[in-house]
Amino acid sequence: MNILFLGDLVGENSVYFLKKNLKNICIKYNINLVITNAENVAEGYGITPEISNNLFKIGVNVISTGNHIWDKSEIIPYISKNCNLLKPNNLTNQSAGQGFILYETESNKKILVINLLCNLFMRKSENLFESVNKIMSNYRLKKNCDAIIIDIHGEAASEKQALANYLDGKVTAIIGTHTHVPTSDLRILPSGTAYQTDAGMCGDYDSVIGGKKNEWIENFIKKPDFKKIKPASSNHTMCGVIIKVFEDSGLSSVAKQLILGDILENKIPDEKLFLK
Ligand SMILES: [Fe+2]
């Protein structure tokens, strides 16, 4: 079983780029499940029901989010009814939606996807470790699920790495999001959990974290009057991780970075690593 995890989609152009490429990627790498973080997809701030539906239509199975989940208020009634769109499980200030889903693939594999928010330098949330412990008390690899994937959304590499080592051997993969910068530390930890501090964004890298460069510069010079920034949209790059799951243990057998598009050096994994 192979899983594709894509980092933060920034702006609606990232959806068009995904629409153009996702189907071919899924065929090439025999992908059983597609997860993407999409909390910055609607003009850089939040996600709308329309974009969410569109992402599901083009082949995304589960959407994770983060600190911007409530930026578009129309998502509140939608997330209450659509459990394939996740909010961070430990986000305390809204009751709508859920932070994890046991997703059943077409080949009847049960994959638990968990969305969490870091505590450091982020909006107020419940303790990250307590939050994941509550979920994990009900799930165990190969007992009641075939894989467990965690999106850990946040700034601090230390916090993400602590979580990954805390859960090493208990989950399939822990992939970071939020910084919009793909890190070069993808690895399989000693007990079998794949980990990368940040998957990187799907967006325009001729930018400041996906937003228009000049608007960001102006904002920093003129702070504290911080204005909303429009997404840059001239170039497109998709960043993510492809994970092959051991059928017998549910842990990671192969994990490779995928970087496809403009600006960044591309990383295209060998499809032979992801045969059925
Ligand atoms: Fe974020």
Side-chain angles (χ1 to χ4, degrees):
M1 174 170 57
N2 300 324
I3 295 166
L4 172 64
F5 183 104
L6 294 168
D8 312 49
L9 302 181
V10 180
E12 286 190 57
N13 272 300
S14 61
V15 182
Y16 303 133
F17 191 69
L18 213 63
K19 193 177 174 184
K20 237 166 67 183
N21 292 285
L22 188 59
K23 202 174 168 192
N24 286 341
I25 291 171
C26 288
I27 293 168
K28 184 176 177 183
Y29 295 106
N30 295 304
I31 299 297
N32 299 91
L33 178 83
V34 179
I35 304 163
T36 187
N37 188 298
E39 67 140 11
N40 299 116
V41 74
E43 301 161 316
Y45 300 89
I47 181 168
T48 63
E50 192 190 351
I51 299 175
S52 179
N53 285 337
N54 204 4
L55 285 170
F56 291 135
K57 210 162 100 186
I58 64 172
V60 172
N61 303 114
V62 178
I63 300 171
S64 55
T65 59
N67 48 305
H68 287 288
I69 175 63
W70 310 124
D71 286 3
K72 301 278 187 275
S73 58
E74 61 265 41
I75 207 63
I76 297 172
Y78 178 92
I79 202 171
S80 312
K81 294 182 204 132
N82 290 273
C83 48
N84 292 6
L85 171 66
L86 302 177
K87 67 167 185 180
N89 192 64
N90 52 333
L91 204 56
T92 44
N93 63 345
Q94 278 281 357
S95 56
Q98 58 186 56
F100 62 94
I101 182 175
L102 188 64
Y103 186 93
E104 194 164 340
T105 67
E106 281 176 7
S107 50
N108 301 113
K109 298 286 185 194
K110 287 182 178 146
I111 302 172
L112 179 66
V113 182
I114 304 174
N115 192 181
L116 296 164
L117 195 67
C118 282
N119 294 132
L120 288 178
F121 316 123
M122 300 297 289
R123 67 155 72 188
K124 196 173 168 5
S125 55
E126 283 168 11
N127 183 280
L128 171 62
F129 292 81
E130 286 172 14
S131 180
V132 79
N133 279 344
K134 270 185 222 160
I135 302 170
M136 291 295 293
S137 65
N138 292 314
Y139 294 96
R140 194 175 297 171
L141 280 178
K142 302 318 288 186
K143 200 175 167 198
N144 51 6
C145 56
D146 298 290
I148 303 174
I149 308 291
I150 297 181
D151 174 351
I152 175 64
H153 191 82
E155 289 287 351
S158 55
E159 197 178 8
K160 292 176 178 179
Q161 291 182 16
L163 181 78
N165 284 285
Y166 179 69
L167 294 172
D168 184 19
K170 295 190 179 115
V171 305
T172 313
I174 301 180
I175 310 293
T177 56
H178 178 71
T179 74
H180 298 190
V181 180
T183 54
S184 296
D185 60 341
L186 174 60
R187 60 197 186 271
I188 296 176
L189 298 172
S191 298
T193 299
Y195 171 74
Q196 185 174 332
T197 299
D198 206 296
M201 70 167 175
C202 298
D204 183 353
Y205 279 83
D206 186 20
S207 67
V208 173
I209 64 166
K212 291 198 178 231
K213 293 184 282 190
N214 293 345
E215 294 183 22
W216 266 107
I217 293 165
E218 229 173 86
N219 260 348
F220 279 117
I221 292 169
K222 289 183 181 168
K223 64 183 178 180
D225 300 323
F226 219 81
K227 287 187 190 130
K228 282 202 167 178
I229 292 163
K230 290 181 208 75
S233 56
S234 306
N235 306 278
H236 308 287
T237 306
M238 185 189 280
C239 283
V241 182
I242 306 176
I243 301 140
K244 187 175 182 68
V245 183
F246 275 125
E247 296 294 330
D248 59 344
S249 66
L251 294 166
S252 282
S253 111
V254 180
K256 293 284 168 193
Q257 243 183 314
L258 173 76
I259 300 181
L260 174 72
D262 307 312
I263 314 283
L264 297 187
E265 189 180 332
N266 281 208
K267 292 187 180 178
I268 313 290
D270 183 351
E271 62 263 40
K272 287 192 202 91
L273 294 168
F274 297 96
L275 294 173
K276 268 184 191 165

